[in-house]
Amino acid sequence: MTIELRVNERIRVPEVRLVGPNGEQVGIVRIEDALRLAQEADLDLVEVAATARPPVCKLMDFGKYKYETAQKARESRRNQTNTVIKEMKLRPKIDPHDYETKKGHVVRFLRAGDKVKITIMFRGREQSRPELGFRLLQRLAEDVGELGFVESSPRQDGRNMIMVLGPHKKKSEARVDVEAEKAKKVAEHEAEQEAERVERAEQLKQFEAEKAAGATKKPKGPADNLDPE
Protein backbone atom coordinates (compact mmCIF):
# COMPACT_ATOMS: atom_id res chain seq x y z
CA MET A 1 0.00 0.00 0.00
CA THR A 2 1.46 3.35 -1.05
CA ILE A 3 0.41 6.76 0.24
CA GLU A 4 0.53 9.71 -2.14
CA LEU A 5 2.28 12.58 -0.39
CA ARG A 6 1.02 16.10 -0.88
CA VAL A 7 3.67 18.46 -2.22
CA ASN A 8 3.95 22.28 -2.42
CA GLU A 9 0.69 23.97 -3.49
CA ARG A 10 -1.27 20.76 -2.96
CA ILE A 11 -0.84 21.24 0.79
CA ARG A 12 -4.00 23.19 1.69
CA VAL A 13 -3.73 24.01 5.41
CA PRO A 14 -3.21 27.40 7.08
CA GLU A 15 -0.03 26.42 8.95
CA VAL A 16 2.43 23.52 9.24
CA ARG A 17 5.11 22.26 11.58
CA LEU A 18 8.19 22.71 9.43
CA VAL A 19 11.27 20.51 9.41
CA GLY A 20 14.40 21.68 7.61
CA PRO A 21 16.30 19.69 4.94
CA ASN A 22 18.77 18.36 7.54
CA GLY A 23 16.07 17.38 10.03
CA GLU A 24 16.25 20.56 12.09
CA GLN A 25 13.02 21.76 13.70
CA VAL A 26 11.96 25.14 12.31
CA GLY A 27 8.66 25.27 14.22
CA ILE A 28 5.07 26.12 13.31
CA VAL A 29 4.90 28.52 10.38
CA ARG A 30 2.23 29.73 7.97
CA ILE A 31 1.91 27.71 4.77
CA GLU A 32 2.83 30.81 2.74
CA ASP A 33 6.11 31.18 4.64
CA ALA A 34 6.88 27.47 4.33
CA LEU A 35 6.37 27.59 0.56
CA ARG A 36 8.56 30.68 0.32
CA LEU A 37 11.37 28.99 2.26
CA ALA A 38 11.12 25.96 -0.02
CA GLN A 39 11.35 28.13 -3.12
CA GLU A 40 14.33 30.07 -1.75
CA ALA A 41 16.16 26.82 -0.98
CA ASP A 42 15.25 25.36 -4.39
CA LEU A 43 13.53 22.48 -2.61
CA ASP A 44 10.01 21.07 -2.28
CA LEU A 45 7.65 21.33 0.66
CA VAL A 46 6.49 17.76 1.37
CA GLU A 47 3.78 16.79 3.85
CA VAL A 48 5.24 13.84 5.77
CA ALA A 49 2.67 13.53 8.59
CA ALA A 50 -0.78 14.59 7.43
CA THR A 51 -2.61 13.43 10.57
CA ALA A 52 -0.56 15.58 12.95
CA ARG A 53 -1.99 18.86 14.21
CA PRO A 54 -0.71 20.91 12.52
CA PRO A 55 0.58 18.63 9.70
CA VAL A 56 4.33 18.07 9.60
CA CYS A 57 6.08 19.17 6.42
CA LYS A 58 9.71 18.85 5.42
CA LEU A 59 11.91 20.70 2.97
CA MET A 60 13.46 18.19 0.55
CA ASP A 61 14.24 17.35 -3.06
CA PHE A 62 11.07 15.38 -3.78
CA GLY A 63 12.34 13.91 -7.07
CA LYS A 64 15.43 12.53 -5.36
CA TYR A 65 13.29 11.26 -2.47
CA LYS A 66 10.99 9.33 -4.83
CA TYR A 67 13.96 7.84 -6.68
CA GLU A 68 15.68 6.65 -3.48
CA THR A 69 12.39 5.25 -2.15
CA ALA A 70 11.87 3.28 -5.37
CA GLN A 71 15.43 1.96 -5.21
CA LYS A 72 14.96 0.75 -1.63
CA ALA A 73 11.66 -0.93 -2.53
CA ARG A 74 13.29 -2.66 -5.49
CA GLU A 75 16.19 -3.86 -3.34
CA SER A 76 13.78 -5.10 -0.69
CA ARG A 77 11.84 -7.13 -3.26
CA ARG A 78 15.09 -8.54 -4.62
CA ASN A 79 16.13 -9.72 -1.16
CA GLN A 80 12.78 -11.32 -0.40
CA THR A 81 12.83 -15.10 -0.46
CA ASN A 82 9.79 -17.13 -1.32
CA THR A 83 9.73 -20.36 0.65
CA VAL A 84 9.48 -23.22 -1.81
CA ILE A 85 9.05 -26.81 -0.68
CA LYS A 86 9.94 -29.45 -3.22
CA GLU A 87 8.82 -33.04 -2.73
CA MET A 88 10.62 -36.29 -3.44
CA LYS A 89 8.96 -39.70 -3.05
CA LEU A 90 10.86 -42.93 -2.42
CA ARG A 91 10.01 -46.56 -1.76
CA PRO A 92 11.56 -48.42 1.22
CA LYS A 93 13.23 -50.98 -1.07
CA ILE A 94 14.45 -48.56 -3.71
CA ASP A 95 17.23 -49.91 -5.96
CA PRO A 96 20.67 -48.21 -5.91
CA HIS A 97 20.31 -46.57 -9.34
CA ASP A 98 16.94 -45.00 -8.51
CA TYR A 99 18.28 -43.87 -5.15
CA GLU A 100 21.21 -42.05 -6.76
CA THR A 101 18.83 -40.38 -9.22
CA LYS A 102 16.46 -39.23 -6.46
CA LYS A 103 19.38 -38.06 -4.33
CA GLY A 104 20.65 -36.01 -7.28
CA HIS A 105 17.31 -34.19 -7.44
CA VAL A 106 17.43 -33.51 -3.68
CA VAL A 107 20.95 -32.13 -4.02
CA ARG A 108 19.81 -29.83 -6.83
CA PHE A 109 16.86 -28.55 -4.79
CA LEU A 110 18.97 -27.87 -1.69
CA ARG A 111 21.69 -26.20 -3.74
CA ALA A 112 19.03 -23.86 -5.13
CA GLY A 113 18.01 -22.91 -1.56
CA ASP A 114 14.71 -24.85 -1.51
CA LYS A 115 13.34 -27.07 1.23
CA VAL A 116 12.68 -30.69 0.35
CA LYS A 117 9.92 -32.90 1.72
CA ILE A 118 10.98 -36.53 1.54
CA THR A 119 8.13 -39.06 1.55
CA ILE A 120 8.67 -42.79 2.00
CA MET A 121 5.66 -44.69 0.63
CA PHE A 122 4.84 -48.03 2.25
CA ARG A 123 2.67 -50.60 0.50
CA GLY A 124 1.24 -53.89 1.66
CA ARG A 125 3.48 -55.76 4.09
CA GLU A 126 6.05 -52.93 3.96
CA GLN A 127 3.89 -51.11 6.50
CA SER A 128 5.05 -53.57 9.16
CA ARG A 129 8.70 -52.56 8.56
CA PRO A 130 8.83 -48.80 9.30
CA GLU A 131 12.49 -49.14 10.28
CA LEU A 132 13.33 -49.60 6.58
CA GLY A 133 11.98 -46.15 5.78
CA PHE A 134 13.63 -44.60 8.82
CA ARG A 135 17.05 -45.98 7.87
CA LEU A 136 16.60 -44.79 4.29
CA LEU A 137 15.78 -41.26 5.45
CA GLN A 138 18.78 -41.26 7.78
CA ARG A 139 21.03 -42.37 4.94
CA LEU A 140 19.72 -39.64 2.64
CA ALA A 141 20.14 -36.97 5.31
CA GLU A 142 23.77 -38.03 5.80
CA ASP A 143 24.47 -38.12 2.06
CA VAL A 144 23.28 -34.53 1.55
CA GLY A 145 24.53 -33.21 4.90
CA GLU A 146 26.89 -30.70 3.26
CA LEU A 147 23.96 -28.93 1.59
CA GLY A 148 21.06 -29.38 4.03
CA PHE A 149 19.93 -30.35 7.48
CA VAL A 150 16.99 -32.23 8.97
CA GLU A 151 14.42 -29.53 9.66
CA SER A 152 11.63 -31.96 10.52
CA SER A 153 12.57 -35.41 11.84
CA PRO A 154 11.03 -38.52 10.25
CA ARG A 155 7.44 -39.10 11.36
CA GLN A 156 4.80 -41.61 10.40
CA ASP A 157 1.79 -40.21 8.51
CA GLY A 158 -0.60 -43.03 7.69
CA ARG A 159 1.06 -45.23 5.09
CA ASN A 160 3.85 -42.74 4.57
CA MET A 161 6.89 -41.57 6.52
CA ILE A 162 7.86 -37.92 6.06
CA MET A 163 11.02 -35.91 6.69
CA VAL A 164 11.78 -32.30 5.72
CA LEU A 165 15.27 -31.15 4.76
CA GLY A 166 16.21 -27.48 4.90
CA PRO A 167 19.07 -25.85 2.94
CA HIS A 168 22.08 -24.49 4.78
CA LYS A 169 22.07 -21.40 2.53
CA LYS A 170 19.27 -18.91 2.03
CA LYS A 171 17.59 -18.58 -1.34
CA SER A 172 19.39 -15.32 -2.12
CA GLU A 173 22.79 -16.79 -1.20
CA ALA A 174 22.09 -19.95 -3.20
CA ARG A 175 21.12 -17.83 -6.20
CA VAL A 176 24.48 -16.03 -6.05
CA ASP A 177 26.32 -19.37 -5.92
CA VAL A 178 24.33 -20.74 -8.86
CA GLU A 179 25.07 -17.63 -10.95
CA ALA A 180 28.76 -17.85 -10.01
CA GLU A 181 28.84 -21.52 -11.03
CA LYS A 182 27.20 -20.67 -14.36
CA ALA A 183 29.71 -17.88 -14.97
CA LYS A 184 32.57 -20.27 -14.14
CA LYS A 185 31.29 -22.88 -16.61
CA VAL A 186 30.91 -20.24 -19.33
CA ALA A 187 34.47 -19.02 -18.69
CA GLU A 188 35.83 -22.58 -18.80
CA HIS A 189 33.95 -23.27 -22.05
CA GLU A 190 35.29 -20.10 -23.64
CA ALA A 191 38.82 -21.00 -22.50
CA GLU A 192 38.49 -24.46 -24.07
CA GLN A 193 37.25 -22.94 -27.33
CA GLU A 194 40.15 -20.48 -27.35
CA ALA A 195 42.64 -23.30 -26.73
CA GLU A 196 41.14 -25.25 -29.63
CA ARG A 197 41.39 -22.18 -31.91
CA VAL A 198 45.05 -21.70 -30.96
CA GLU A 199 45.78 -25.39 -31.56
CA ARG A 200 44.09 -25.33 -34.97
CA ALA A 201 46.02 -22.18 -35.89
CA GLU A 202 49.31 -23.84 -34.91
CA GLN A 203 48.44 -26.95 -36.93
CA LEU A 204 47.55 -24.82 -39.94
CA LYS A 205 50.77 -22.84 -39.56
CA GLN A 206 52.80 -26.05 -39.40
CA PHE A 207 50.97 -27.45 -42.41
CA GLU A 208 51.67 -24.30 -44.44
CA ALA A 209 55.34 -24.40 -43.41
CA GLU A 210 55.68 -28.05 -44.48
CA LYS A 211 53.88 -27.29 -47.71
CA ALA A 212 56.21 -24.37 -48.44
CA ALA A 213 59.30 -26.45 -47.63
CA GLY A 214 58.14 -29.21 -49.99
CA ALA A 215 57.62 -26.73 -52.81
CA THR A 216 61.22 -25.38 -52.59
CA LYS A 217 62.83 -28.82 -52.98
CA LYS A 218 64.36 -29.46 -56.46
CA PRO A 219 62.39 -32.21 -58.19
CA LYS A 220 64.44 -35.23 -59.17
CA GLY A 221 65.13 -35.66 -62.87
CA PRO A 222 66.26 -38.73 -64.82
CA ALA A 223 69.94 -37.82 -64.39
CA ASP A 224 69.58 -37.76 -60.62
CA ASN A 225 68.79 -41.46 -60.65
CA LEU A 226 71.94 -42.49 -62.63
CA ASP A 227 74.87 -44.12 -60.88
CA PRO A 228 77.89 -41.77 -61.20
CA GLU A 229 80.16 -44.81 -61.74
Side-chain angles (χ1 to χ4, degrees):
M1 179 178 176
T2 58
I3 300 175
E4 185 69 24
L5 299 177
R6 293 193 294 182
V7 182
N8 297 327
E9 285 76 12
R10 293 182 59 194
I11 305 173
R12 299 181 181 279
V13 292
E15 58 184 17
V16 297
R17 185 178 297 277
L18 186 62
V19 179
N22 298 317
E24 66 274 17
Q25 296 290 330
V26 178
I28 297 176
V29 299
R30 295 188 308 161
I31 186 64
E32 295 84 357
D33 295 333
L35 289 170
R36 178 178 53 78
L37 290 172
Q39 187 175 10
E40 291 175 353
D42 196 22
L43 295 172
D44 299 297
L45 182 67
V46 182
E47 187 179 58
V48 294
T51 58
R53 291 293 178 266
V56 179
C57 294
K58 184 176 181 180
L59 298 176
M60 67 172 72
D61 184 336
F62 189 58
K64 180 180 178 182
Y65 168 78
K66 288 201 299 183
Y67 173 78
E68 292 177 348
T69 301
Q71 287 290 93
K72 290 178 181 178
R74 191 177 298 112
E75 187 67 24
S76 177
R77 287 194 299 269
R78 186 182 296 116
N79 293 332
Q80 283 181 348
T81 56
N82 296 323
T83 302
V84 177
I85 299 181
K86 304 290 187 177
E87 185 172 10
M88 187 59 56
K89 296 182 179 180
L90 294 80
R91 294 293 306 280
K93 297 180 180 179
I94 187 171
D95 66 72
H97 180 269
D98 285 345
Y99 174 79
E100 291 300 323
T101 300
K102 301 276 189 177
K103 185 182 73 174
H105 292 312
V106 174
V107 167
R108 179 164 53 87
F109 294 149
L110 292 173
R111 185 170 285 139
D114 296 323
K115 295 182 181 181
V116 188
K117 176 184 176 182
I118 312 297
T119 302
I120 305 294
M121 301 179 296
F122 296 94
R123 294 179 182 175
R125 287 181 293 180
E126 292 175 348
Q127 297 179 59
S128 62
R129 301 288 305 279
E131 68 276 6
L132 295 178
F134 184 78
R135 285 200 295 266
L136 181 59
L137 291 176
Q138 281 188 316
R139 173 188 172 189
L140 181 60
E142 292 174 0
D143 288 347
V144 300
E146 292 184 359
L147 297 171
F149 62 96
V150 178
E151 184 174 290
S152 178
S153 300
R155 60 180 176 81
Q156 195 75 28
D157 183 15
R159 295 185 178 184
N160 300 327
M161 183 174 287
I162 297 172
M163 176 181 72
V164 177
L165 296 174
H168 286 311
K169 293 185 178 181
K170 296 180 180 179
K171 189 82 172 177
S172 57
E173 297 173 346
R175 189 182 299 114
V176 171
D177 291 343
V178 170
E179 293 299 327
E181 185 65 24
K182 287 182 180 179
K184 180 181 177 182
K185 289 182 179 179
V186 169
E188 290 176 349
H189 180 65
E190 291 178 349
E192 290 175 359
Q193 288 185 322
E194 181 62 24
E196 290 177 358
R197 283 195 293 268
V198 171
E199 184 178 358
R200 286 196 297 267
E202 289 294 332
Q203 291 175 348
L204 180 61
K205 183 178 180 181
Q206 183 178 358
F207 173 76
E208 294 292 342
E210 292 175 352
K211 183 178 178 181
T216 56
K217 289 182 179 179
K218 180 181 178 182
K220 289 184 177 181
D224 294 328
N225 295 323
L226 297 178
D227 190 339
E229 297 295 332

